[in-house]
Amino acid sequence: MSHSNTKGLLAAVSAELADIRAGIDEAGDLVSELVKGAPPEQRLTYLTRMQAFDVLSQRVDALSGLAGALAADQPMDTALAALPLAEMADRLRELSFRGRPLSETAPAAVSGDLLLFD
C-alpha cells in the first residue's frame, strides 16, 4: 500500500471512529434517560455501569485522534505521546516498538487523566 493510500485510509478510519463515538454518545444519552425512570435503589448501580459508555467514548475519540494525526504525517512517537489515555498510549507504544531494533527505546509515557464525565 502506498504512503498516500495509507494516509487516506487512516483519515477514513479517523472519520469512522468519530462517527462511532457520536453513536456511543447518543446511546449513552438514551441510557441516561432510561436510568431516570429506574427505581431509586437501582440508580446508583446503573449510573456506575453507565460510566462504561464514557470510557468507550474516550477510547474511540483517542483512536480517532491518533489515526488523524498519523494521516497528517505526524511522527508515530508524537502521535502516541498526544494520546490522552496513558494506559492506551502505553499499550500502543509497546506494540509499535516491537518491530524496531533494540537500540531504539520507546519515549516516556505521558500521564493522562481519565475523564469520566464532560
Side-chain angles (χ1 to χ4, degrees):
M1 182 179 289
S2 74
H3 181 68
S4 63
N5 288 344
T6 301
K7 285 177 55 174
L9 176 61
L10 286 169
V13 167
S14 178
E16 287 291 324
L17 289 169
D19 286 345
I20 291 169
R21 187 208 169 153
I24 291 170
D25 288 346
E26 287 179 21
D29 291 344
L30 173 63
V31 171
S32 179
E33 289 296 316
L34 294 172
V35 167
K36 289 178 186 175
E41 64 274 4
Q42 292 179 337
R43 285 187 194 150
L44 181 59
T45 301
Y46 292 151
L47 287 172
T48 302
R49 292 174 68 189
M50 270 183 47
Q51 290 177 349
F53 278 106
D54 194 55
V55 172
L56 285 173
S57 288
Q58 289 180 50
R59 290 178 68 197
V60 169
D61 199 35
L63 289 173
S64 176
L66 176 64
L70 294 173
D73 278 335
Q74 273 192 14
M76 188 184 321
D77 298 346
T78 303
L80 287 170
L83 280 174
L85 303 174
E87 288 180 17
M88 177 185 281
D90 290 342
R91 284 191 309 271
L92 294 175
R93 188 176 292 111
E94 179 183 327
L95 291 171
S96 70
F97 283 93
R98 280 190 183 165
R100 294 190 184 182
L102 292 177
S103 61
E104 293 185 40
T105 58
V110 176
S111 66
D113 294 331
L114 175 65
L115 300 175
L116 294 178
F117 297 97
D118 291 321

